[in-house]
Amino acid sequence: MENQTKIFVDNAIGQSSEYNMLMNLSRLSVSKHLIDEHFTLIWANEYYYELIGYPKEEYERLFENRPDKFYAADPENWKILVDKVTETLASGASGYQLIGRMRHKSGRMMWVKLSNIFTDEMINGHRVSYTVMADVSELQQTLLEQSITYNNIPGFIAKFRIRENGFEFVEANEKFTRLFGRSDYALDSPVAVRNPAVLRDNHELMRRGEPVNFVLQAREKDGNNVWLQVSGECMDWQDGDPLYLFVYIDISELLEQRELQKQTSRRLEQLAFVDPVTEGRNRTSFDIDAGGAIRSAAPGSYALVWLDIQKFKLVNDFFGVEAGDRVLRHCYKSVQAHLEDGEYVARLAADGFNLLLWDATRERLEERLNRMAEDVNRFEPIVRRKYIISFSAGIYHIDDPSLPLIQIQDRANIARKNAGAAVGNGLCACRMYSEQDRLRSLREKEMENRMRGALERGEFIVYLQPKQSLKKSSIAGAEALVRWNAPEGLISPAEFIPLFEQNGFIVDLDLYVFEQVCAMQRKWLDNGVAAVPVSVNMSRTHLSDPHFLDHYESIRQKYGAPPGLLEIELTESLVFENPQLLIRFIDQIRAHGYHCSIDDFGSGYSSLNILKDLNVNALKLDRVFFSSKEVGNAREQVVIVSVIDLARKLSMVTVAEGVETEPQVDFLRRTECDMVQGYVFSRPVPLAEFERMAYGREIAA
């Protein structure tokens, strides 16, 4: 029996080794803790230390294997963990899952997902728990759990006579009797369909007196079915029949644990490597397989493609979020169907996909990507709604496989961001990564490094572009525009504004410009001049903060600037992106006394119908309305007149932007447009020059 027990202990150890191997392959942190006041660490694999950033020796020296010391700088996060453990223990649950914050050695706060199980193992009077931990800061979402506990396996002993036509019970030990409730339990009892077949296969061996080992299903006296590992050896012979001593090991829980382990392993593998939306590869899987393929290939073998669905938000708006997920899943499968051996695809985030393709000419790669896009558009719901999905793609030829994958991906993404300006044939606009992209990336990084210092040093200067009243032929207002007066000279807003909108610094810059405008209004009022209203641009980034207006109000009140002299401009594109949200924000802006205008009207997805719901003071017509210098196109005139007339009936002031010629001014005057803003009257000018134009003199501070 000791030999048989060893077999199953070895099997259990083998299963544990397989689990550890899986953890290592999956690069997951696994640790073992005492449930004491410190949650003392008693064992961890290498990825535990890799995750938190501390080498094992340093962790032990600094924190003495005490997580409470590790969390000393973050007591609130430690309390959350302690409360969770306490609550779980009190409930009698076997474990818990928790997403919390943890500080990396570098100081970076991580979101980590903890999957913990309490065991019955005791060390020094304390229970032992196992924890699987994963960094879920970027990965959109990782569940790790494992529950493996092997109990002592009870053994039963019985003796049978192996007759020519079956099995005859001889005797059994007390455990056998307790389990089955009687001592004459038949070895060949047909509890399970598989039993007769198993015994038939082994009967001939037993008739010859050879050792056997098989699994049977039996029924306990309380009616429960159990799985038994049966090992038998011939102990004697009686009248030509072998007498066998059988050792039964109840492996029901072991089999359940194995099945649980298989399920958990499959679940861990799915969580670690499968994207829940597309049901295909995720970033981790792509990084491992595609990264390995790149490193093992010769230079110039592969090209990495960053593929994005253009305006995917519209897909969700048209079809709904669930249908949008189905579209993403269909995109993945359509792209995957075009891949050759050695090529890979994964959804990295939102509507962004990465493809590793065998390198080819630009024409060949564009042809393949467009064929993929065509297949995507064969999706039945898209066809039925007559909606066309288009893509933008950035392509990077991998001529240096030693580059980190993240750098390769960044270069493809940089090219993708500029794909809109590239000439796209078909449904996918493609752009190759170039030296210009590299230089632009370096330039953007340089500006990003300097932007905060530049704001503190006052390098950002507010210029004002006058708004000319067509009725009074005088300056009736102005728009505040920002310029970066860097040591090397002026940097164009077209160069830094898109960057700041991307990295979020635009919020700080918008508030800075607003403060400068409040200060100049205060100066004008204190000097007794008839101050004209000044408008400021507000980036859509502000609208992600429901309390964004509090920052503006705090600045305005600091200078005592009348809100009626301040106008907030919101771009027309916001109307289409989220009209209900925009309507609420406009109402808030107006409720605080500010004027509000829609900027760039007509540049995108303008809908005249939405104007009835927008409680704005002014409508700024984009320069796209004035396609001709002379405004000689009759259809163009009809559109402009209609928009101005509608705005007037809705009590909105109209401002024509980008006006450059006198014939345009004359036409707008005849159509009773209220104001004109453009080079025909003035370019954006510094404050002192604007004051001379509007007030006839510079206003002293």
Side-chain angles (χ1 to χ4, degrees):
M1 187 171 69
E2 293 180 358
N3 290 337
Q4 300 307 320
T5 302
K6 182 178 185 302
I7 289 174
F8 292 101
V9 171
D10 289 345
N11 286 341
I13 294 173
Q15 292 291 326
S16 177
S17 299
E18 292 173 6
Y19 171 64
N20 289 333
M21 183 180 297
L22 174 63
M23 295 297 100
N24 290 334
L25 290 174
S26 303
R27 300 181 65 84
L28 296 174
S29 161
V30 183
S31 55
K32 183 177 181 181
H33 300 262
L34 294 182
I35 308 302
D36 58 10
E37 66 270 25
H38 311 299
F39 294 169
T40 303
L41 176 70
I42 55 178
W43 173 85
N45 69 356
E46 60 181 295
Y47 298 112
Y48 175 88
Y49 302 101
E50 180 179 314
L51 178 65
I52 62 177
Y54 288 91
K56 183 175 185 295
E57 295 76 12
E58 184 178 1
Y59 180 88
E60 293 174 345
R61 176 172 53 81
L62 292 176
F63 308 114
E64 300 174 348
N65 283 334
R66 285 176 48 180
D68 57 336
K69 284 192 173 184
F70 177 76
Y71 272 93
D74 303 292
E76 292 184 1
N77 294 325
W78 173 249
K79 185 177 183 301
I80 292 172
L81 177 59
V82 172
D83 290 347
K84 183 65 176 179
V85 174
T86 303
E87 173 191 341
T88 306
L89 289 172
S91 70
S94 62
Y96 64 86
Q97 291 185 6
L98 172 68
I99 294 180
R101 304 304 300 272
M102 177 179 288
R103 188 181 302 276
H104 189 268
K105 179 183 179 181
S106 64
R108 173 175 61 90
M109 292 300 294
M110 302 181 294
W111 283 104
V112 294
K113 185 165 188 176
L114 306 174
S115 297
N116 178 276
I117 184 166
F118 301 127
T119 72
D120 292 330
E121 182 182 355
M122 304 290 290
I123 297 180
N124 296 330
H126 297 287
R127 290 180 68 181
V128 172
S129 70
Y130 288 85
T131 300
V132 177
M133 182 166 58
D135 183 352
V136 293
S137 302
E138 296 182 359
L139 295 179
Q140 241 290 206
Q141 48 80 344
T142 301
L143 172 65
L144 298 175
E145 61 180 26
Q146 177 64 31
S147 175
I148 299 177
T149 305
Y150 289 105
N151 295 319
N152 293 327
I153 302 175
F156 314 100
I157 302 175
K159 185 183 294 185
F160 281 85
R161 180 176 179 178
I162 313 302
R163 291 190 173 275
E164 186 174 356
N165 59 350
F167 304 89
E168 179 184 323
F169 176 80
V170 178
E171 61 180 347
N173 67 354
E174 185 178 351
K175 284 186 177 181
F176 184 95
T177 305
R178 276 204 310 267
L179 179 67
F180 299 115
R182 58 189 187 275
S183 61
D184 60 345
Y185 188 86
L187 184 65
D188 53 353
S189 176
V191 174
V193 175
R194 70 185 304 275
N195 285 0
V198 171
L199 293 173
R200 186 170 54 250
D201 292 341
N202 287 274
H203 183 265
E204 185 177 345
L205 295 175
M206 288 187 279
R207 286 290 294 171
R208 296 198 300 264
E210 298 182 16
V212 292
N213 197 311
F214 50 87
V215 175
L216 290 179
Q217 190 174 14
R219 183 173 290 118
E220 296 178 321
K221 63 182 180 181
D222 57 7
N224 294 327
N225 288 338
V226 293
W227 288 96
L228 300 173
Q229 177 78 41
V230 183
S231 300
E233 291 192 15
C234 181
M235 307 300 295
D236 201 353
W237 293 80
Q238 182 177 341
D239 299 330
D241 294 330
L243 293 177
Y244 264 73
L245 184 67
F246 291 98
V247 176
Y248 298 76
I249 305 294
D250 185 353
I251 60 171
S252 302
E253 291 189 16
L254 182 60
L255 291 178
E256 289 174 4
Q257 291 290 347
R258 287 180 179 176
E259 181 60 28
L260 175 62
Q261 187 176 27
K262 289 178 183 178
Q263 294 175 4
T264 304
S265 297
R266 287 194 295 267
R267 189 159 60 247
L268 285 171
E269 184 176 358
Q270 185 174 24
L271 291 171
F273 303 121
V274 177
D275 174 30
V277 174
T278 65
E279 300 175 356
R281 288 183 182 274
N282 64 3
R283 177 189 288 271
T284 301
S285 176
F286 186 85
D287 288 353
I288 293 173
D289 293 336
I294 292 170
R295 288 188 295 272
S296 61
S301 298
Y302 280 110
L304 190 129
V305 180
W306 192 296
L307 186 70
D308 257 23
I309 301 175
Q310 294 182 345
K311 298 182 176 66
F312 183 70
K313 182 182 181 298
L314 305 185
V315 176
N316 285 331
D317 290 342
F318 273 111
F319 303 106
V321 175
E322 290 185 6
D325 286 348
R326 290 198 296 271
V327 169
L328 289 172
R329 192 154 48 247
H330 172 73
C331 287
Y332 179 89
K333 292 179 179 177
S334 297
V335 170
Q336 188 181 42
H338 284 264
L339 298 185
E340 301 172 1
D341 289 342
E343 296 183 329
Y344 304 91
V345 61
R347 186 181 77 101
L348 266 60
D351 58 342
F353 295 81
N354 266 196
L355 288 69
L356 184 67
L357 305 178
W358 293 114
D359 203 1
T361 64
R362 172 175 182 155
E363 292 73 20
R364 168 62 176 158
L365 290 172
E366 288 186 1
E367 178 186 357
R368 290 190 66 187
L369 292 171
N370 272 287
R371 284 206 308 270
M372 295 175 188
E374 290 169 2
D375 277 0
V376 168
N377 280 274
R378 293 189 177 96
F379 192 35
E380 192 274 335
I382 297 173
V383 174
R384 187 174 63 250
R385 295 287 293 272
K386 297 182 180 180
Y387 187 91
I388 296 176
I389 292 181
S390 57
F391 296 84
S392 58
I395 304 172
Y396 175 65
H397 296 286
I398 306 174
D399 49 12
D400 183 2
S402 66
L403 287 176
L405 181 59
I406 186 67
Q407 189 172 345
I408 293 172
Q409 291 170 322
D410 285 344
R411 292 185 176 185
N413 196 27
I414 289 170
R416 193 268 314 166
K417 291 176 182 178
N418 296 299
V423 178
N425 296 319
L427 296 168
C428 185
C430 303
R431 194 176 193 280
M432 316 299 289
Y433 180 82
S434 66
E435 179 64 15
Q436 287 182 339
D437 291 321
R438 188 185 70 83
L439 295 176
R440 184 184 298 107
S441 179
L442 292 175
R443 173 63 169 164
E444 289 180 350
K445 185 60 180 176
E446 178 193 9
M447 289 191 294
E448 199 166 35
N449 291 339
R450 295 167 51 186
M451 61 189 186
R452 298 195 181 278
L455 189 64
E456 295 172 358
R457 293 189 295 271
E459 292 181 11
F460 291 100
I461 309 298
V462 175
Y463 277 48
L464 299 174
Q465 186 171 30
K467 298 176 184 177
Q468 185 80 359
S469 170
L470 292 180
K471 290 183 179 179
K472 298 180 180 180
S473 297
S474 61
I475 294 175
E479 179 181 358
L481 300 165
V482 66
R483 300 291 184 267
W484 188 349
N485 188 20
E488 68 272 20
L490 283 176
I491 300 176
S492 168
E495 190 174 358
F496 64 81
I497 291 296
L499 172 65
F500 293 171
E501 287 181 338
Q502 181 182 354
N503 63 25
F505 185 66
I506 193 68
V507 171
D508 301 78
L509 187 59
D510 281 353
L511 292 173
Y512 171 82
V513 171
F514 182 74
E515 182 164 7
Q516 299 303 305
V517 170
C518 288
M520 66 177 66
Q521 290 284 13
R522 182 73 269 158
K523 182 182 74 167
W524 293 342
L525 293 171
D526 289 347
N527 281 273
V529 300
V532 297
V534 178
S535 62
V536 296
N537 291 285
M538 178 184 284
S539 167
R540 71 192 63 200
T541 308
H542 290 274
L543 303 187
S544 61
D545 177 8
H547 306 292
F548 75 98
L549 210 53
D550 294 347
H551 306 298
Y552 282 82
E553 271 294 275
S554 176
I555 294 171
R556 185 192 66 77
Q557 292 173 8
K558 173 183 175 183
Y559 292 92
L565 291 176
L566 301 168
E567 180 178 308
I568 294 176
E569 295 189 10
L570 301 170
T571 60
E572 178 229 44
S573 60
L574 288 171
V575 176
F576 192 76
E577 288 180 3
N578 196 331
Q580 296 306 315
L581 177 65
L582 182 64
I583 289 169
R584 289 201 303 273
F585 281 130
I586 290 174
D587 290 343
Q588 290 182 37
I589 292 170
R590 293 294 305 276
H592 283 78
Y594 298 99
H595 284 205
C596 187
S597 62
I598 296 297
D599 193 17
D600 301 328
F601 186 80
S603 63
Y605 301 94
S606 301
S607 171
L608 294 178
N609 183 58
I610 195 66
L611 290 180
K612 72 180 188 302
D613 300 316
L614 300 179
N615 183 26
V616 295
N617 303 91
L619 191 67
K620 301 188 72 174
L621 279 67
D622 191 79
R623 66 180 67 241
V624 298
F625 279 105
F626 312 105
S627 59
S628 63
K629 302 292 184 182
E630 306 298 324
V631 200
N633 186 306
R635 297 175 68 87
E636 177 183 353
Q637 293 178 8
V638 170
V639 172
I640 297 173
V641 170
S642 299
V643 173
I644 292 175
D645 183 60
L646 179 59
R648 182 170 57 252
K649 290 178 179 177
L650 293 172
S651 302
M652 297 180 186
V653 173
T654 51
V655 182
E657 294 184 287
V659 178
E660 299 180 351
T661 68
E662 286 297 339
Q664 292 173 339
V665 174
D666 293 338
F667 171 75
L668 290 167
R669 185 178 286 112
R670 291 195 303 273
T671 60
E672 299 185 10
C673 180
D674 296 298
M675 287 183 277
V676 167
Q677 177 182 342
Y679 276 39
V680 66
F681 287 116
S682 174
R683 70 190 189 286
V685 296
L687 174 61
E689 186 174 343
F690 175 82
E691 290 175 339
R692 288 193 295 270
M693 295 171 62
Y695 309 122
R697 61 187 175 90
E698 292 185 29
I699 308 300

